[in-house]
C-alpha cells in the first residue's frame, strides 16, 4: 500500500529531484538572458511575436529540441514525468518568460493526455507517448460548461455506429493548438440526458480523420490574451471514428474530467506564480534603478506584500502538487481551492505592481517592463475566466457541509512528507486520482500548526505574532464549521450566492494552512524561509482579505521581506520557494 510506495520513493528522491532541477537549469540556460535584446528567445522577441499574433517559432523549436514533450509522458512509457511538483520545477523557466509560450509549447498536451494516462488502454498510452516523445502536441477539446467562455463553449456529439465506433458531429471555434496537434482528446457528448454519464472521451488521430473526410480545421481566432498560441477551431461532420478511440468506458468522460483536472489546476497555478515573479522583478527594477538610496518607503508595502503573496501561492500550489503523489485519492477539493485562490491573488498582485511600475508599466513589449501588460492579458485565459471559478465552486461548495460535519477538528494531520522540504514522495499515478472523499488533511494541518505554536503565544516577537495568526485562522475555521452545517444538500447550494461566498473563505483558510505548513516544514537550508517574517506577512494579508482580526505587523517584518526580495533581484534568483538561479 501507501507505506511501500513511500519507502520506494525515499530511495529515489534525491536523484529524481536533483535531475529535475538539472533539467530546469538546462532549460534556463538554453533560453538565455531574458533581457538581452539580441537573444532570439528573450522577452523582447517573445513579446514581438505576440504583437504579430504569431507563435515564437524559434523558441518553440528550441523547446522541442530540448525534449520538452517528454516531461508530460510518465516514466513508465519512456518519458520524464514522475511527480507533478517536479514537473513544475522543470516548466518554470518557460513560464517565467511567457505564460503563453508555456501553453503553446506543450502544457496543453499534459491537460489533454491526462485522461489517457488515467484510463487509456496500454496501446493508447503507448501511442500517445510516441506522439509527445516525437515532439508532437496533443490538444484537449473540452465539453461545454455552464458560464462557458469561448474555450468552453460548444461541444461535439458522438453517436454509436452499428458496426462499432462513433459518428462525430459538431463545431468548436476556439481550441488551443487545434491546427498544430498530432492528437486530439475530445470530451464528446454520448448521451443527451443531463447526467454524470453524459460524455465520453475519444482519442483521435487528426491525420487519419482528415484523410478519411469529415474533419475540417477552422481558421485562426483572434483573442485578447495568448495571441501567439494559435487558437483555432474544428468541425466534425458525420466523421466516423474507430471503436478503439474510446478512452475508458462510454459515459466516463465527466468522471475522468473531475479526476484529472485536479492535476491541471495545480500545474496552471504553480506555473503562473513563475510568470508573476517576472513582473515582480520588473517592479523591483523600477523601484531601484538609478537610486543610490534604499527603496522609497511608499513601495515597501506593495513590493514586500506581493512577494509574500507569491510565496503563499507557491506554498498552496506546492502542497497540492505533492499531495497528488502522496494522497492521490484525497486532493480533489484542495486542487479546486488552489485554482480558486491563486489566480485571484496573482491578479491582485499585478494591480499592486502596476502602481509601483507607474508609467513604466505602459512600456509594452519592452523586455524590462512589458511583462505586466502581457501577463495581465494572458492570466484570465489561463484561468478560464469566470467559467474556471464557477467550475471550482462546483467542486468545493457541495463538499462544505460534509467537511464541517465529519472532517474539521476530527481528522488527523497528513504525513510529514507532504510538507517537509525535500522529502521523498511516490510517483504520480493518474489511475489513483480520486474524487472528493469527505476528508480535509490541510485543515487538520492548520489545527496542528496552531496547537504547536500556542506554546509561544504572548512571548513577543514575530513568532508570537505567527502563533496569534494561526489561532485566528483556526477561529475562522470554527466559524465556518457552524455556517457550513446549514448548507442544503445537492445542487441548491450552488444556486445561492451566500453559500458560494463560504467557498471563498474556506479556500483562503486552506491558503493560510499551506503557509503555516510550508514554514513548519523548512529544514533550515534556506534561512529566510525558516524565519517567520514571510509567513507573518503572508498570513496578515490573507487575514485582511477575509476581514478577520489580525495582530499588528511587527516593525521589522516588512523590512526583512523586502530585503530578501531585493537580494534575490540583484542575485538573479526567482521569487518563489525554490529561489532558483536565473539566466543573466
Amino acid at each position: 500500500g501507501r507505506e511501500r510506495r513511500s519507502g520506494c520513493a525515499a530511495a529515489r528522491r534525491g536523484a529524481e529531484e536533483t535531475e529535475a532541477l538539472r533539467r530546469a537549469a538546462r532549460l534556463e540556460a538554453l533560453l538565455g538572458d531574458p533581457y538581452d535584446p539580441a537573444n532570439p528567445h528573450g522577452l523582447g522577441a517573445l513579446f514581438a511575436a505576440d504583437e504579430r499574433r504569431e507563435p515564437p517559432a524559434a523558441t518553440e523549436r528550441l523547446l522541442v529540441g530540448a525534449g520538452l514533450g517528454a516531461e508530460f509522458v510518465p516514466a513508465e512509457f519512456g518519458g520524464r514525468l514522475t511527480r507533478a511538483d517536479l514537473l513544475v520545477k522543470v516548466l518554470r523557466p518557460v513560464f517565467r518568460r511567457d505564460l503563453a509560450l508555456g501553453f503553446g509549447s506543450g502544457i496543453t498536451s499534459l491537460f489533454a493526455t491526462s485522461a489517457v494516462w488515467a484510463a487509456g488502454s496500454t496501446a493508447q498510452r503507448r501511442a500517445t507517448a510516441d506522439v509527445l516523445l516525437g515532439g508532437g502536441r496533443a490538444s484537449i477539446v473540452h465539453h461545454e460548461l455552464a458560464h462557458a467562455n469561448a474555450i468552453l463553449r460548444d461541444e461535439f456529439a458522438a453517436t454509436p455506429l452499428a458496426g462499432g465506433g462513433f459518428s462525430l458531429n459538431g463545431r468548436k471555434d476556439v481550441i488551443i493548438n487545434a491546427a498544430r496537434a498530432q492528437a486530439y482528446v475530445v470530451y464528446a457528448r454520448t448521451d443527451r440526458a443531463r447526467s454524470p454519464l453524459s460524455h465520453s472521451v475519444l482519442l483521435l488521430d487528426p491525420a487519419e480523420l482528415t484523410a478519411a473526410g469529415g474533419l475540417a480545421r477552422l481558421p485562426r481566432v483572434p483573442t485578447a490574451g495568448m495571441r501567439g498560441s494559435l487558437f483555432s477551431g474544428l468541425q466534425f461532420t458525420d466523421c466516423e471514428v474507430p471503436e478503439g478511440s474510446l478512452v475508458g468506458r462510454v459515459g466516463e468522460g465527466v468522471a475522468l474530467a473531475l479526476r484529472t483536472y485536479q492535476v491541471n489546476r495545480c500545474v496552471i497555478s504553480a506555473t503562473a506564480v513563475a510568470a508573476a515573479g517576472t513582473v515582480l522583478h520588473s517592479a523591483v527594477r523600477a523601484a531601484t534603478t538609478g537610486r543610490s538610496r534604499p527603496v522609497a518607503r511608499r513601495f515597501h508595502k506593495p513590493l514586500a506584500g506581493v512577494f509574500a503573496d507569491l510565496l503563499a501561492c507557491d506554498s498552496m500550489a506546492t502542497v497540492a502538487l505533492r499531495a497528488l503523489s502522496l494522497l492521490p485519492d484525497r486532493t480533489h477539493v484542495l486542487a479546486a481551492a488552489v485554482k480558486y485562490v491563486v489566480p485571484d491573488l496573482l491578479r491582485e498582485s499585478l494591480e499592486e505592481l502596476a502602481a509601483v511600475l507607474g508609467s513604466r508599466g505602459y512600456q509594452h513589449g519592452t523586455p524590462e517592463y512589458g511583462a505586466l501588460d502581457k501577463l495581465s492579458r494572458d492570466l484570465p485565459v489561463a484561468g478560464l475566466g469566470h467559467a474556471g471559478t464557477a467550475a471550482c465552486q462546483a467542486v468545493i461548495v457541495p463538499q462544505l457541509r460534509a467537511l464541517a460535519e465529519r472532517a474539521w477538528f476530527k481528522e488527523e494531520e497528513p504525513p510529514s512528507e507532504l510538507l517537509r522540504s525535500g522529502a521523498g514522495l511516490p510517483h504520480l499515478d493518474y489511475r489513483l486520482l480520486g474524487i472528493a472523499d469527505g476528508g480535509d488533511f490541510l485543515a487538520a494541518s492548520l489545527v496542528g500548526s496552531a496547537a504547536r505554536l500556542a506554546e509561544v503565544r504572548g512571548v513577543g516577537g514575530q513568532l508570537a505574532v505567527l502563533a496569534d495568526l494561526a489561532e485566528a485562522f483556526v477561529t475562522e475555521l470554527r466559524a465556518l464549521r457552524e455556517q457550513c452545517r446549514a448548507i442544503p444538500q445537492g445542487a441548491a447550494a450552488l444556486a445561492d450566492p451566500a453559500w458560494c461566498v463560504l467557498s471563498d473563505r474556506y479556500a483562503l483558510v486552506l491558503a493560510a494552512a499551506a503557509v503555516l505548513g510550508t514554514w513548519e516544514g523548512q529544514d533550515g537550508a534556506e534561512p529566510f524561509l525558516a524565519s517567520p517574517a514571510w509567513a507573518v506577512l503572508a498570513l496578515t494579508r490573507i487575514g485582511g482579505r477575509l476581514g478577520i482580526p489580525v495582530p499588528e505587523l511587527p516593525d521589522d517584518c516588512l523590512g526583512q521581506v523586502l530585503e530578501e526580495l531585493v537580494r534575490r533581484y540583484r542575485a538573479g534568483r526567482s521569487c518563489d520557494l525554490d529561489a532558483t538561479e536565473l539566466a543573466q
Side-chain angles (χ1 to χ4, degrees):
R2 182 173 296 151
E3 292 78 9
R4 181 182 61 80
R5 292 170 63 232
S6 295
C8 294
R12 286 193 306 261
R13 188 265 302 176
E16 287 179 349
E17 189 156 349
T18 300
E19 173 59 20
L21 292 171
R22 186 197 67 78
R23 296 199 306 276
R26 177 172 174 260
L27 273 180
E28 186 72 37
L30 284 172
L31 290 167
D33 181 355
Y35 304 105
D36 180 359
N39 180 4
H41 315 298
L43 293 178
L46 296 173
F47 295 160
D50 174 72
E51 193 61 34
R52 296 191 303 270
R53 297 178 181 268
E54 297 174 356
T59 304
E60 289 191 345
R61 285 194 299 271
L62 176 80
L63 295 175
V64 169
L68 188 66
E71 301 296 341
F72 311 124
V73 177
E76 64 180 298
F77 289 95
R80 303 183 189 127
L81 177 59
T82 55
R83 288 166 25 193
D85 61 317
L86 299 185
L87 169 66
V88 165
K89 291 180 190 296
V90 178
L91 294 180
R92 276 183 164 167
V94 179
F95 281 82
R96 209 172 276 127
R97 285 155 176 82
D98 186 1
L99 197 69
L101 174 66
F103 272 74
S105 295
I107 196 174
T108 49
S109 294
L110 176 76
F111 303 161
T113 57
S114 57
V116 180
W117 308 137
S121 65
T122 300
Q124 287 174 330
R125 298 170 89 196
R126 284 179 176 151
T128 301
D130 288 344
V131 168
L132 301 188
L133 293 173
R137 294 179 175 87
S139 185
I140 183 170
V141 184
H142 295 274
H143 54 302
E144 185 169 63
L145 297 179
H147 309 275
N149 54 27
I151 296 175
L152 300 175
R153 191 177 300 125
D154 304 320
E155 62 185 13
F156 300 115
T159 305
L161 295 172
F166 299 86
S167 176
L168 197 58
N169 284 277
R171 173 185 175 122
K172 198 172 179 72
D173 290 298
V174 182
I175 303 169
I176 298 178
N177 281 334
R180 309 192 295 168
Q182 287 72 42
Y184 296 144
V185 178
V186 180
Y187 286 77
R189 179 173 289 277
T190 47
D191 189 337
R192 292 184 179 181
R194 293 176 61 87
S195 80
L197 303 177
S198 58
H199 288 74
S200 303
V201 178
L202 303 174
L203 174 63
L204 307 177
D205 182 337
E208 291 181 2
L209 298 181
T210 303
L215 167 62
R217 288 187 171 93
L218 303 178
R220 247 174 83 183
V221 178
T223 59
M226 294 198 186
R227 293 184 297 200
S229 288
L230 283 183
F231 289 88
S232 58
L234 298 173
Q235 182 166 346
F236 292 99
T237 306
D238 297 327
C239 183
E240 294 190 12
V241 300
E243 188 172 5
S245 63
L246 178 67
V247 177
R249 299 183 300 274
V250 172
E252 198 178 359
V254 173
L256 279 172
L258 287 172
R259 287 170 54 205
T260 61
Y261 280 17
Q262 56 190 305
V263 179
N264 308 349
R265 286 168 173 154
C266 297
V267 171
I268 287 173
S269 300
T271 51
V273 170
T278 300
V279 182
L280 181 53
H281 269 251
S282 294
V284 177
R285 179 182 291 105
T288 57
T289 298
R291 288 182 62 89
S292 56
R293 293 178 297 173
V295 173
R297 184 168 293 277
R298 68 182 182 278
F299 295 144
H300 287 197
K301 186 175 179 180
L303 288 175
V306 167
F307 182 31
D309 283 352
L310 293 194
L311 293 173
C313 289
D314 200 15
S315 298
M316 191 180 190
T318 299
V319 169
L321 288 163
R322 293 173 65 82
L324 291 168
S325 284
L326 188 61
L327 306 168
D329 55 340
R330 299 168 58 192
T331 310
H332 188 223
V333 173
L334 173 58
V338 168
K339 183 67 163 32
Y340 195 47
V341 167
V342 171
D344 239 19
L345 294 191
L346 295 183
R347 177 186 53 77
E348 291 178 15
S349 295
L350 295 183
E351 292 172 358
E352 285 193 74
L353 295 179
V356 178
L357 283 161
S359 61
R360 291 184 175 93
Y362 294 99
Q363 296 180 21
H364 303 166
T366 65
E368 292 79 12
Y369 300 112
L372 172 66
D373 169 64
K374 185 69 167 59
L375 186 56
S376 296
R377 286 188 282 109
D378 290 349
L379 191 59
V381 180
L384 297 179
H386 175 59
T389 299
C392 293
Q393 285 179 328
V395 171
I396 297 170
V397 174
Q399 299 299 319
L400 289 176
R401 179 169 176 167
L403 293 174
E405 292 177 342
R406 300 200 297 267
W408 296 339
F409 299 99
K410 296 178 182 178
E411 189 168 342
E412 292 185 2
E413 290 189 70
S416 61
E417 293 91 340
L418 178 68
L419 298 161
R420 195 171 72 242
S421 177
L425 298 172
H427 279 185
L428 170 67
D429 188 339
Y430 277 90
R431 292 164 295 189
L432 300 179
L433 296 174
I435 299 174
D437 69 341
D440 192 340
F441 56 84
L442 199 48
S445 175
L446 169 66
V447 175
S449 295
R452 286 184 289 275
L453 282 165
E455 299 178 5
V456 297
R457 291 187 71 188
V459 301
Q462 292 178 1
L463 205 55
V465 174
L466 189 63
D468 289 340
L469 284 163
E471 186 57 37
F473 284 103
V474 170
T475 301
E476 173 65 13
L477 184 63
R478 287 196 185 94
L480 275 174
R481 180 175 59 176
E482 298 309 310
Q483 293 170 296
C484 291
R485 282 172 171 166
I487 295 177
Q489 300 284 4
L494 286 169
D496 190 335
W499 306 128
C500 291
V501 166
L502 295 181
S503 65
D504 294 11
R505 304 183 70 81
Y506 167 65
L508 286 170
V509 168
L510 290 188
V515 169
L516 282 165
T518 300
W519 174 77
E520 276 198 292
Q522 294 303 308
D523 59 8
E526 285 288 339
F528 170 72
L529 294 176
S531 163
W534 72 272
V536 168
L537 182 54
L539 293 176
T540 300
R541 287 169 67 87
I542 295 171
R545 292 179 176 98
L546 276 169
I548 64 176
V550 295
E552 188 173 339
L553 196 67
D555 292 338
D556 56 345
C557 189
L558 208 63
Q560 285 183 26
V561 177
L562 180 65
E563 181 182 1
E564 172 69 8
L565 172 61
V566 174
R567 185 189 70 80
R568 289 195 188 190
Y569 165 71
R570 289 177 175 157
R573 292 194 171 272
S574 62
C575 299
D576 49 42
L577 294 172
D578 287 336
T580 305
E581 187 174 350
L582 309 178
Q584 294 187 77

